[in-house]
Amino acid sequence: MKIGIVLYPTFGGSGVVGTELGKALAKKGHEIHFITYSQPVRLGSFRENIFYHEVAVSDYPLFEYQPYETELTSKMVDVVKYEKLDLLHVHYAIPHASAAFMAKQILQSQGISIPYITTLHGTDITLVGKDPSFEPVITFCINQSDAVTAVSESLKKDTYAHFNTTREIHVIPNFIAPNMEPSDISSEVRRKYACDGEKILCHVSNFRKVKRVEDVVRIFSEVNKELKSKLILAGDGPERYSVEKLVRDLGICDRVIFLGKVRDTAHVLEIADLFLLPSETESFGLAALEAMAVSVPVISSNTGGIPEVNIHGVTGYLSNVGDVEDMAKNALKILKDDETLNTFKVNALKRAHDFDLEKILPMYEKIYFDLVPDKA
Ligand code: GMT
């Protein structure tokens, strides 16, 4: 099948999922056309069956804001028409679903029929999408999509709660991509960051408010008082200045390592003992799954779709949003001795396998083949 995939090419979870899905589909023999404004960070080098179409964003002086959606739509029309695509799969509703709807209408006027699937990822529903400045468009696009998927039961529930839709929403959880296999140099790398006996706590995000990175630092600070540890922070974003200030104010600069943006977070995660994800809201928590996939247990909030991934008392612990004290207490419970830590590590890895790519990929393919039965 020839599939066009539209996504945000950055470090965000939706872009990672869309890219890894495309790579896996290409490996299975589908022809994948990524359509976006820059090369997706997880795309990597040349691969069979993968094509990348860049959306050029113009900077005509009249435009105070660039009409990206219009240019994306035109590119989608062009690629569908000339590459003879069978379907479009858009990740993150804003503005990809409305661009897909528009592209579909334009193509229909030219006698070309193309279905589009919208995958809802989280903030497109729970934060940005439900804002009145987006809501009517999102509701319309959800209702017009040929199929809609959401990455967790929680996100599906939120979609029904916030939008006027009775549309069937298929829950297809996120998955572990094969490049997250552990490497054999981790113990060597680990020694560069932590002395013998020190534990490594880790957090990976885009440092937006919703991630509550200051809570990460406060949890770590409590843990570090009892158990000498290091905190590795990977990622960057608007909250970084305030997080750096907090680290200085708490006097723990020598304990906290800011890595900035990292392409291959799996290699950072695999030197960690514990992953911290105290988010305000999280439709799934791909970062937590990525940690579990390299045997790292998770201390998280109990919000959104996280409880569908992290199992309380088994793969980590869940606490109420903002309950830093409880999260620190739980972290110490896991780190207190090697035997306990090891049990949580084993459980985390086992749980991560529930989200193996081989289990999830056929769920997307089923939707594709239902929409384009002659390609099945
Ligand atoms: O977490 C972010 O801010 C990025 C965002 C995105 O769309 O890229 O992540 C959302 O999608 C991920 C992949 O499906 C989910 O794992 C994240 O939980 C979700 N983020 C939120 O709901 C805040």
Tab-separated table of all heavy atoms in Angstrom, residues 302-362:
chain	number	residue	atom	x	y	z
A	302	ASN	N	-0.491	9.953	38.342
A	302	ASN	CA	-1.499	8.945	37.962
A	302	ASN	C	-2.522	9.538	36.996
A	302	ASN	O	-3.693	9.207	37.043
A	302	ASN	CB	-2.195	8.389	39.221
A	302	ASN	CG	-2.782	9.514	40.068
A	302	ASN	OD1	-2.849	10.651	39.605
A	302	ASN	ND2	-3.185	9.204	41.286
A	303	THR	N	-2.038	10.426	36.141
A	303	THR	CA	-2.937	11.181	35.278
A	303	THR	C	-3.093	10.557	33.884
A	303	THR	O	-2.203	9.827	33.426
A	303	THR	CB	-2.375	12.621	35.142
A	303	THR	OG1	-3.242	13.388	34.337
A	303	THR	CG2	-1.007	12.620	34.505
A	304	GLY	N	-4.214	10.861	33.225
A	304	GLY	CA	-4.424	10.481	31.824
A	304	GLY	C	-4.208	9.012	31.548
A	304	GLY	O	-4.735	8.132	32.237
A	305	GLY	N	-3.371	8.734	30.539
A	305	GLY	CA	-3.154	7.349	30.118
A	305	GLY	C	-1.971	6.683	30.809
A	305	GLY	O	-1.684	5.511	30.534
A	306	ILE	N	-1.294	7.387	31.705
A	306	ILE	CA	-0.099	6.780	32.332
A	306	ILE	C	-0.433	5.469	33.055
A	306	ILE	O	0.311	4.493	32.918
A	306	ILE	CB	0.643	7.773	33.264
A	306	ILE	CG1	1.058	9.024	32.503
A	306	ILE	CG2	1.893	7.113	33.850
A	306	ILE	CD1	1.800	10.060	33.371
A	307	PRO	N	-1.558	5.401	33.789
A	307	PRO	CA	-1.849	4.124	34.473
A	307	PRO	C	-2.074	2.950	33.510
A	307	PRO	O	-2.046	1.797	33.928
A	307	PRO	CB	-3.146	4.428	35.251
A	307	PRO	CG	-3.196	5.915	35.373
A	307	PRO	CD	-2.528	6.452	34.146
A	308	GLU	N	-2.292	3.243	32.221
A	308	GLU	CA	-2.422	2.159	31.239
A	308	GLU	C	-1.046	1.597	30.858
A	308	GLU	O	-0.951	0.566	30.200
A	308	GLU	CB	-3.156	2.659	29.983
A	308	GLU	CG	-4.608	3.056	30.266
A	308	GLU	CD	-5.295	3.742	29.092
A	308	GLU	OE1	-5.203	3.248	27.954
A	308	GLU	OE2	-5.949	4.788	29.324
A	309	VAL	N	0.002	2.292	31.279
A	309	VAL	CA	1.365	1.872	30.931
A	309	VAL	C	2.130	1.440	32.190
A	309	VAL	O	2.639	0.321	32.275
A	309	VAL	CB	2.124	3.035	30.219
A	309	VAL	CG1	3.519	2.602	29.815
A	309	VAL	CG2	1.341	3.534	29.011
A	310	ASN	N	2.178	2.343	33.168
A	310	ASN	CA	2.953	2.106	34.401
A	310	ASN	C	2.034	1.480	35.453
A	310	ASN	O	1.003	2.061	35.794
A	310	ASN	CB	3.498	3.462	34.896
A	310	ASN	CG	4.412	3.327	36.089
A	310	ASN	OD1	4.981	2.258	36.342
A	310	ASN	ND2	4.576	4.423	36.835
A	311	ILE	N	2.379	0.310	35.928
A	311	ILE	CA	1.506	-0.399	36.873
A	311	ILE	C	2.005	-0.168	38.306
A	311	ILE	O	3.143	-0.531	38.645
A	311	ILE	CB	1.465	-1.921	36.572
A	311	ILE	CG1	1.209	-2.178	35.079
A	311	ILE	CG2	0.426	-2.628	37.439
A	311	ILE	CD1	-0.106	-1.695	34.542
A	312	HIS	N	1.114	0.401	39.120
A	312	HIS	CA	1.449	0.789	40.494
A	312	HIS	C	1.949	-0.414	41.305
A	312	HIS	O	1.271	-1.435	41.396
A	312	HIS	CB	0.199	1.388	41.151
A	312	HIS	CG	0.453	2.010	42.496
A	312	HIS	ND1	1.180	3.169	42.655
A	312	HIS	CD2	0.086	1.623	43.738
A	312	HIS	CE1	1.247	3.476	43.932
A	312	HIS	NE2	0.585	2.557	44.620
A	313	GLY	N	3.126	-0.260	41.877
A	313	GLY	CA	3.672	-1.324	42.737
A	313	GLY	C	4.315	-2.464	41.962
A	313	GLY	O	4.829	-3.409	42.558
A	314	VAL	N	4.269	-2.386	40.640
A	314	VAL	CA	4.826	-3.480	39.821
A	314	VAL	C	5.986	-2.956	38.932
A	314	VAL	O	7.115	-3.445	39.022
A	314	VAL	CB	3.727	-4.129	38.937
A	314	VAL	CG1	4.313	-5.230	38.068
A	314	VAL	CG2	2.595	-4.656	39.807
A	315	THR	N	5.641	-1.966	38.092
A	315	THR	CA	6.672	-1.427	37.186
A	315	THR	C	7.180	-0.083	37.699
A	315	THR	O	8.022	0.553	37.073
A	315	THR	CB	6.098	-1.225	35.772
A	315	THR	OG1	5.005	-0.289	35.853
A	315	THR	CG2	5.584	-2.519	35.191
A	316	GLY	N	6.596	0.377	38.786
A	316	GLY	CA	6.940	1.672	39.368
A	316	GLY	C	5.840	2.048	40.332
A	316	GLY	O	5.133	1.173	40.849
A	317	TYR	N	5.659	3.356	40.527
A	317	TYR	CA	4.574	3.825	41.402
A	317	TYR	C	3.910	5.044	40.783
A	317	TYR	O	4.533	5.782	40.024
A	317	TYR	CB	5.109	4.191	42.785
A	317	TYR	CG	5.468	2.989	43.643
A	317	TYR	CD1	6.792	2.608	43.791
A	317	TYR	CD2	4.489	2.242	44.289
A	317	TYR	CE1	7.138	1.517	44.575
A	317	TYR	CE2	4.820	1.141	45.067
A	317	TYR	CZ	6.135	0.777	45.211
A	317	TYR	OH	6.474	-0.300	45.975
A	318	LEU	N	2.632	5.228	41.113
A	318	LEU	CA	1.888	6.397	40.628
A	318	LEU	C	1.398	7.206	41.831
A	318	LEU	O	0.966	6.619	42.818
A	318	LEU	CB	0.683	5.964	39.786
A	318	LEU	CG	1.044	5.172	38.526
A	318	LEU	CD1	0.744	3.705	38.684
A	318	LEU	CD2	0.307	5.730	37.323
A	319	SER	N	1.455	8.535	41.714
A	319	SER	CA	0.994	9.425	42.794
A	319	SER	C	0.146	10.522	42.177
A	319	SER	O	0.178	10.740	40.961
A	319	SER	CB	2.177	10.099	43.485
A	319	SER	OG	3.149	9.154	43.849
A	320	ASN	N	-0.567	11.242	43.049
A	320	ASN	CA	-1.351	12.371	42.546
A	320	ASN	C	-0.426	13.442	41.973
A	320	ASN	O	0.699	13.620	42.467
A	320	ASN	CB	-2.187	12.990	43.664
A	320	ASN	CG	-3.298	12.044	44.094
A	320	ASN	OD1	-3.743	11.200	43.322
A	320	ASN	ND2	-3.726	12.171	45.343
A	321	VAL	N	-0.939	14.165	40.959
A	321	VAL	CA	-0.141	15.236	40.344
A	321	VAL	C	0.309	16.214	41.436
A	321	VAL	O	-0.509	16.648	42.258
A	321	VAL	CB	-0.985	15.987	39.277
A	321	VAL	CG1	-0.223	17.212	38.761
A	321	VAL	CG2	-1.369	15.066	38.138
A	322	GLY	N	1.591	16.523	41.459
A	322	GLY	CA	2.121	17.512	42.401
A	322	GLY	C	2.520	16.939	43.747
A	322	GLY	O	3.121	17.648	44.567
A	323	ASP	N	2.225	15.673	44.012
A	323	ASP	CA	2.577	15.092	45.312
A	323	ASP	C	4.042	14.628	45.304
A	323	ASP	O	4.362	13.426	45.280
A	323	ASP	CB	1.631	13.937	45.661
A	323	ASP	CG	1.713	13.554	47.136
A	323	ASP	OD1	2.697	13.952	47.792
A	323	ASP	OD2	0.807	12.856	47.618
A	324	VAL	N	4.903	15.623	45.343
A	324	VAL	CA	6.350	15.393	45.256
A	324	VAL	C	6.834	14.495	46.391
A	324	VAL	O	7.687	13.607	46.188
A	324	VAL	CB	7.070	16.767	45.295
A	324	VAL	CG1	8.559	16.604	45.522
A	324	VAL	CG2	6.808	17.531	44.014
A	325	GLU	N	6.266	14.720	47.561
A	325	GLU	CA	6.705	13.955	48.739
A	325	GLU	C	6.454	12.460	48.530
A	325	GLU	O	7.328	11.622	48.789
A	325	GLU	CB	5.892	14.462	49.928
A	325	GLU	CG	6.545	14.257	51.262
A	325	GLU	CD	5.606	14.722	52.382
A	325	GLU	OE1	5.157	15.880	52.327
A	325	GLU	OE2	5.319	13.889	53.248
A	326	ASP	N	5.249	12.133	48.061
A	326	ASP	CA	4.902	10.728	47.833
A	326	ASP	C	5.789	10.125	46.734
A	326	ASP	O	6.245	8.986	46.844
A	326	ASP	CB	3.419	10.628	47.440
A	326	ASP	CG	2.912	9.201	47.522
A	326	ASP	OD1	3.084	8.585	48.592
A	326	ASP	OD2	2.369	8.693	46.507
A	327	MET	N	6.033	10.915	45.698
A	327	MET	CA	6.871	10.415	44.590
A	327	MET	C	8.296	10.135	45.083
A	327	MET	O	8.902	9.122	44.723
A	327	MET	CB	6.877	11.401	43.420
A	327	MET	CG	5.508	11.507	42.740
A	327	MET	SD	5.534	12.527	41.268
A	327	MET	CE	3.804	12.923	41.065
A	328	ALA	N	8.820	11.024	45.937
A	328	ALA	CA	10.176	10.823	46.466
A	328	ALA	C	10.199	9.576	47.358
A	328	ALA	O	11.134	8.765	47.283
A	328	ALA	CB	10.615	12.052	47.247
A	329	LYS	N	9.145	9.428	48.148
A	329	LYS	CA	9.068	8.273	49.054
A	329	LYS	C	9.049	6.969	48.226
A	329	LYS	O	9.755	6.010	48.519
A	329	LYS	CB	7.773	8.402	49.872
A	329	LYS	CG	7.778	7.674	51.199
A	329	LYS	CD	6.490	7.933	51.968
A	329	LYS	CE	5.379	7.100	51.350
A	329	LYS	NZ	4.036	7.571	51.575
A	330	ASN	N	8.249	6.988	47.173
A	330	ASN	CA	8.154	5.804	46.305
A	330	ASN	C	9.469	5.511	45.578
A	330	ASN	O	9.845	4.350	45.396
A	330	ASN	CB	7.037	5.987	45.274
A	330	ASN	CG	5.663	5.906	45.912
A	330	ASN	OD1	5.513	5.285	46.969
A	330	ASN	ND2	4.672	6.528	45.296
A	331	ALA	N	10.139	6.590	45.173
A	331	ALA	CA	11.435	6.408	44.490
A	331	ALA	C	12.397	5.698	45.426
A	331	ALA	O	13.082	4.738	45.035
A	331	ALA	CB	11.991	7.767	44.071
A	332	LEU	N	12.420	6.138	46.676
A	332	LEU	CA	13.332	5.523	47.653
A	332	LEU	C	12.947	4.070	47.928
A	332	LEU	O	13.812	3.229	48.177
A	332	LEU	CB	13.337	6.341	48.947
A	332	LEU	CG	14.158	7.638	48.840
A	332	LEU	CD1	13.819	8.615	49.963
A	332	LEU	CD2	15.664	7.340	48.826
A	333	LYS	N	11.644	3.786	47.882
A	333	LYS	CA	11.180	2.402	48.089
A	333	LYS	C	11.797	1.484	47.028
A	333	LYS	O	12.189	0.362	47.305
A	333	LYS	CB	9.648	2.362	47.927
A	333	LYS	CG	8.882	2.172	49.232
A	333	LYS	CD	7.464	1.748	48.931
A	333	LYS	CE	6.466	2.805	49.314
A	333	LYS	NZ	5.098	2.520	48.907
A	334	ILE	N	11.856	1.979	45.788
A	334	ILE	CA	12.405	1.155	44.692
A	334	ILE	C	13.930	1.070	44.780
A	334	ILE	O	14.521	0.011	44.551
A	334	ILE	CB	11.991	1.740	43.308
A	334	ILE	CG1	10.480	1.667	43.146
A	334	ILE	CG2	12.696	1.012	42.173
A	334	ILE	CD1	9.957	2.261	41.843
A	335	LEU	N	14.547	2.206	45.154
A	335	LEU	CA	16.018	2.263	45.115
A	335	LEU	C	16.678	1.731	46.379
A	335	LEU	O	17.903	1.617	46.440
A	335	LEU	CB	16.477	3.713	44.874
A	335	LEU	CG	16.043	4.350	43.544
A	335	LEU	CD1	16.417	5.819	43.533
A	335	LEU	CD2	16.682	3.632	42.350
A	336	LYS	N	15.845	1.397	47.362
A	336	LYS	CA	16.434	1.117	48.700
A	336	LYS	C	17.405	-0.065	48.715
A	336	LYS	O	18.382	-0.057	49.454
A	336	LYS	CB	15.340	0.937	49.755
A	336	LYS	CG	14.508	-0.321	49.546
A	336	LYS	CD	13.562	-0.559	50.717
A	336	LYS	CE	12.943	-1.887	50.511
A	336	LYS	NZ	11.660	-2.196	50.506
A	337	ASP	N	17.137	-1.099	47.925
A	337	ASP	CA	18.120	-2.184	47.846
A	337	ASP	C	18.121	-2.776	46.440
A	337	ASP	O	17.145	-2.640	45.693
A	337	ASP	CB	17.868	-3.272	48.914
A	337	ASP	CG	16.508	-3.901	48.759
A	337	ASP	OD1	16.295	-4.619	47.762
A	337	ASP	OD2	15.626	-3.656	49.611
A	338	ASP	N	19.197	-3.420	46.101
A	338	ASP	CA	19.377	-3.902	44.726
A	338	ASP	C	18.350	-4.957	44.339
A	338	ASP	O	17.940	-5.034	43.178
A	338	ASP	CB	20.797	-4.448	44.537
A	338	ASP	CG	21.784	-3.296	44.415
A	338	ASP	OD1	21.322	-2.144	44.299
A	338	ASP	OD2	23.005	-3.552	44.466
A	339	GLU	N	17.947	-5.742	45.334
A	339	GLU	CA	16.977	-6.809	45.014
A	339	GLU	C	15.629	-6.205	44.585
A	339	GLU	O	15.041	-6.602	43.578
A	339	GLU	CB	16.806	-7.695	46.247
A	339	GLU	CG	16.272	-9.076	45.898
A	339	GLU	CD	15.995	-9.888	47.157
A	339	GLU	OE1	16.750	-9.751	48.133
A	339	GLU	OE2	15.015	-10.631	47.142
A	340	THR	N	15.179	-5.209	45.368
A	340	THR	CA	13.902	-4.555	45.022
A	340	THR	C	14.023	-3.870	43.662
A	340	THR	O	13.151	-4.005	42.797
A	340	THR	CB	13.529	-3.498	46.094
A	340	THR	OG1	13.636	-4.105	47.372
A	340	THR	CG2	12.142	-2.957	45.886
A	341	LEU	N	15.115	-3.127	43.495
A	341	LEU	CA	15.315	-2.427	42.222
A	341	LEU	C	15.294	-3.421	41.067
A	341	LEU	O	14.654	-3.189	40.032
A	341	LEU	CB	16.636	-1.646	42.256
A	341	LEU	CG	17.044	-0.946	40.962
A	341	LEU	CD1	15.979	0.048	40.501
A	341	LEU	CD2	18.378	-0.217	41.117
A	342	ASN	N	15.939	-4.537	41.263
A	342	ASN	CA	16.007	-5.522	40.196
A	342	ASN	C	14.628	-6.095	39.854
A	342	ASN	O	14.295	-6.296	38.683
A	342	ASN	CB	16.988	-6.633	40.573
A	342	ASN	CG	17.503	-7.295	39.330
A	342	ASN	OD1	17.831	-6.611	38.362
A	342	ASN	ND2	17.501	-8.629	39.317
A	343	THR	N	13.814	-6.326	40.891
A	343	THR	CA	12.458	-6.839	40.637
A	343	THR	C	11.669	-5.836	39.792
A	343	THR	O	11.005	-6.199	38.814
A	343	THR	CB	11.729	-7.075	41.989
A	343	THR	OG1	12.542	-7.916	42.777
A	343	THR	CG2	10.359	-7.684	41.792
A	344	PHE	N	11.756	-4.553	40.156
A	344	PHE	CA	11.038	-3.524	39.386
A	344	PHE	C	11.580	-3.438	37.955
A	344	PHE	O	10.826	-3.240	37.008
A	344	PHE	CB	11.136	-2.169	40.098
A	344	PHE	CG	10.078	-1.981	41.153
A	344	PHE	CD1	10.294	-2.395	42.456
A	344	PHE	CD2	8.842	-1.422	40.845
A	344	PHE	CE1	9.322	-2.244	43.436
A	344	PHE	CE2	7.860	-1.261	41.819
A	344	PHE	CZ	8.094	-1.675	43.123
A	345	LYS	N	12.873	-3.590	37.813
A	345	LYS	CA	13.486	-3.523	36.466
A	345	LYS	C	12.933	-4.652	35.589
A	345	LYS	O	12.540	-4.428	34.437
A	345	LYS	CB	15.014	-3.652	36.559
A	345	LYS	CG	15.725	-2.352	36.911
A	345	LYS	CD	17.244	-2.590	36.986
A	345	LYS	CE	18.008	-1.334	37.297
A	345	LYS	NZ	18.636	-0.693	36.174
A	346	VAL	N	12.919	-5.855	36.158
A	346	VAL	CA	12.432	-7.019	35.402
A	346	VAL	C	10.963	-6.812	35.021
A	346	VAL	O	10.547	-7.038	33.878
A	346	VAL	CB	12.626	-8.318	36.238
A	346	VAL	CG1	11.915	-9.500	35.601
A	346	VAL	CG2	14.111	-8.610	36.423
A	347	ASN	N	10.173	-6.333	35.995
A	347	ASN	CA	8.745	-6.100	35.734
A	347	ASN	C	8.530	-5.036	34.653
A	347	ASN	O	7.627	-5.145	33.819
A	347	ASN	CB	8.039	-5.619	37.005
A	347	ASN	CG	7.991	-6.696	38.073
A	347	ASN	OD1	8.254	-7.863	37.790
A	347	ASN	ND2	7.656	-6.309	39.301
A	348	ALA	N	9.374	-3.987	34.707
A	348	ALA	CA	9.229	-2.889	33.744
A	348	ALA	C	9.448	-3.402	32.316
A	348	ALA	O	8.669	-3.123	31.401
A	348	ALA	CB	10.204	-1.771	34.080
A	349	LEU	N	10.509	-4.199	32.168
A	349	LEU	CA	10.825	-4.724	30.836
A	349	LEU	C	9.713	-5.649	30.345
A	349	LEU	O	9.282	-5.578	29.180
A	349	LEU	CB	12.166	-5.471	30.871
A	349	LEU	CG	12.605	-6.070	29.544
A	349	LEU	CD1	12.831	-4.985	28.490
A	349	LEU	CD2	13.895	-6.884	29.688
A	350	LYS	N	9.222	-6.488	31.250
A	350	LYS	CA	8.176	-7.440	30.876
A	350	LYS	C	6.916	-6.679	30.417
A	350	LYS	O	6.313	-6.996	29.399
A	350	LYS	CB	7.864	-8.317	32.097
A	350	LYS	CG	6.932	-9.453	31.832
A	350	LYS	CD	7.032	-10.498	32.948
A	350	LYS	CE	5.992	-11.566	32.783
A	350	LYS	NZ	4.693	-11.214	33.365
A	351	ARG	N	6.567	-5.658	31.169
A	351	ARG	CA	5.383	-4.850	30.828
A	351	ARG	C	5.584	-4.158	29.474
A	351	ARG	O	4.664	-4.079	28.666
A	351	ARG	CB	5.143	-3.822	31.930
A	351	ARG	CG	4.056	-2.809	31.633
A	351	ARG	CD	2.693	-3.442	31.625
A	351	ARG	NE	1.639	-2.487	31.364
A	351	ARG	CZ	0.522	-2.766	30.719
A	351	ARG	NH1	0.291	-3.996	30.290
A	351	ARG	NH2	-0.394	-1.849	30.506
A	352	ALA	N	6.796	-3.659	29.241
A	352	ALA	CA	7.067	-2.951	27.978
A	352	ALA	C	6.803	-3.862	26.782
A	352	ALA	O	6.346	-3.408	25.726
A	352	ALA	CB	8.508	-2.448	27.962
A	353	HIS	N	7.038	-5.159	26.975
A	353	HIS	CA	6.821	-6.082	25.860
A	353	HIS	C	5.347	-6.196	25.469
A	353	HIS	O	5.033	-6.656	24.369
A	353	HIS	CB	7.418	-7.456	26.169
A	353	HIS	CG	8.915	-7.469	25.986
A	353	HIS	ND1	9.511	-7.031	24.825
A	353	HIS	CD2	9.927	-7.828	26.815
A	353	HIS	CE1	10.826	-7.130	24.955
A	353	HIS	NE2	11.099	-7.602	26.156
A	354	ASP	N	4.440	-5.791	26.348
A	354	ASP	CA	3.017	-5.761	25.952
A	354	ASP	C	2.808	-4.765	24.817
A	354	ASP	O	1.775	-4.783	24.149
A	354	ASP	CB	2.132	-5.350	27.139
A	354	ASP	CG	2.110	-6.414	28.223
A	354	ASP	OD1	2.470	-7.574	27.910
A	354	ASP	OD2	1.748	-6.091	29.370
A	355	PHE	N	3.778	-3.845	24.653
A	355	PHE	CA	3.650	-2.798	23.634
A	355	PHE	C	4.662	-3.014	22.515
A	355	PHE	O	5.133	-2.065	21.901
A	355	PHE	CB	3.853	-1.413	24.279
A	355	PHE	CG	2.874	-1.109	25.386
A	355	PHE	CD1	3.154	-1.453	26.698
A	355	PHE	CD2	1.658	-0.507	25.108
A	355	PHE	CE1	2.256	-1.185	27.725
A	355	PHE	CE2	0.743	-0.239	26.119
A	355	PHE	CZ	1.040	-0.582	27.436
A	356	ASP	N	5.003	-4.269	22.269
A	356	ASP	CA	5.939	-4.571	21.187
A	356	ASP	C	5.335	-4.158	19.841
A	356	ASP	O	4.125	-4.336	19.620
A	356	ASP	CB	6.259	-6.075	21.153
A	356	ASP	CG	7.387	-6.427	22.107
A	356	ASP	OD1	8.102	-5.505	22.548
A	356	ASP	OD2	7.532	-7.615	22.433
A	357	LEU	N	6.181	-3.676	18.994
A	357	LEU	CA	5.753	-3.238	17.666
A	357	LEU	C	4.933	-4.308	16.933
A	357	LEU	O	3.916	-3.998	16.309
A	357	LEU	CB	7.003	-2.864	16.851
A	357	LEU	CG	6.810	-2.422	15.427
A	357	LEU	CD1	6.033	-1.116	15.368
A	357	LEU	CD2	8.155	-2.243	14.745
A	358	GLU	N	5.370	-5.565	17.057
A	358	GLU	CA	4.656	-6.649	16.322
A	358	GLU	C	3.214	-6.791	16.783
A	358	GLU	O	2.381	-7.315	16.042
A	358	GLU	CB	5.317	-8.018	16.507
A	358	GLU	CG	6.793	-8.115	16.211
A	358	GLU	CD	7.612	-7.756	17.416
A	358	GLU	OE1	7.697	-8.591	18.329
A	358	GLU	OE2	8.175	-6.640	17.456
A	359	LYS	N	2.932	-6.346	18.005
A	359	LYS	CA	1.548	-6.443	18.490
A	359	LYS	C	0.717	-5.252	18.019
A	359	LYS	O	-0.490	-5.363	17.829
A	359	LYS	CB	1.538	-6.486	20.030
A	359	LYS	CG	2.163	-7.755	20.578
A	359	LYS	CD	2.139	-7.802	22.092
A	359	LYS	CE	2.822	-9.078	22.548
A	359	LYS	NZ	3.614	-8.933	23.747
A	360	ILE	N	1.360	-4.121	17.870
A	360	ILE	CA	0.612	-2.881	17.583
A	360	ILE	C	0.461	-2.636	16.071
A	360	ILE	O	-0.597	-2.192	15.606
A	360	ILE	CB	1.325	-1.664	18.244
A	360	ILE	CG1	1.585	-1.942	19.737
A	360	ILE	CG2	0.541	-0.376	18.037
A	360	ILE	CD1	0.383	-2.202	20.611
A	361	LEU	N	1.509	-2.940	15.312
A	361	LEU	CA	1.484	-2.646	13.868
A	361	LEU	C	0.250	-3.223	13.153
A	361	LEU	O	-0.397	-2.516	12.365
A	361	LEU	CB	2.784	-3.146	13.228
A	361	LEU	CG	3.054	-2.657	11.810
A	361	LEU	CD1	3.281	-1.159	11.782
A	361	LEU	CD2	4.274	-3.361	11.229
A	362	PRO	N	-0.115	-4.490	13.421
A	362	PRO	CA	-1.286	-5.044	12.722
A	362	PRO	C	-2.593	-4.292	13.013
A	362	PRO	O	-3.517	-4.308	12.197
A	362	PRO	CB	-1.375	-6.481	13.261
A	362	PRO	CG	-0.028	-6.791	13.804
A	362	PRO	CD	0.546	-5.494	14.269
